[in-house]
Amino acid sequence: MSHDPNCIFCKIVAGQIPSKKAYEDEHLLAFHDIHPWAPVHVLIIPKQHIATHAELGTEHAELAGRMLLLAPRLMKELGVGNGFRTVINTGPDGGQEVYHLHMHVMGGPRPWLKG
């Protein structure tokens, strides 16, 4: 499994940086965002270092599927029952800030709606 020693999310996977975990298995880690945009805001990341969504290949199909299937399960477990939002920012024009593939999963009242 690849790992980037300079990547903050790889350091979280390795336990070098603490996180409030919501889920963990051999492939994925989900943890609560430290700057949430919604009452429930978790990040789902692969433990394998993949820099962006654009770098996913057919060899990652099962991993990507695991990420997508985990989102509704986590929202249900975390008490979100009225829908949620998933976002994957990709590259500089897509607003990606941390270059380790991650999916934001946000539930609860929608603060991104302004009016």
Side-chain angles (χ1 to χ4, degrees):
M1 184 176 318
S2 64
H3 174 82
D4 178 343
N6 298 313
C7 171
I8 190 169
F9 286 174
C10 286
K11 290 178 181 180
I12 290 172
V13 168
Q16 298 169 341
I17 295 175
S19 66
K20 183 180 174 189
K21 293 179 185 178
Y23 176 85
E24 184 173 17
D25 67 20
E26 64 184 290
H27 305 285
L28 302 175
L29 176 64
F31 54 93
H32 293 267
D33 195 298
I34 61 170
H35 299 295
W37 281 32
V40 176
H41 183 169
V42 296
L43 301 176
I44 299 174
I45 67 170
K47 288 186 170 181
Q48 174 184 1
H49 183 82
I50 302 167
T52 75
H53 188 183
E55 293 182 13
L56 286 177
T58 56
E59 70 275 17
H60 301 113
E62 184 178 343
L63 182 66
R66 287 175 185 272
M67 291 175 71
L68 287 172
L69 291 173
L70 180 56
R73 178 177 149 196
L74 277 180
M75 289 296 101
K76 183 177 181 181
E77 289 175 5
L78 294 170
V80 175
N82 200 31
F84 58 91
R85 183 179 191 189
T86 57
V87 176
I88 300 174
N89 300 317
T90 306
D93 288 342
Q96 187 172 2
E97 295 177 4
V98 177
Y99 281 80
H100 183 121
L101 174 64
H102 58 286
M103 178 170 41
H104 296 262
V105 188
M106 298 165 277
R110 297 174 287 163
W112 50 84
L113 292 181
K114 303 288 186 199

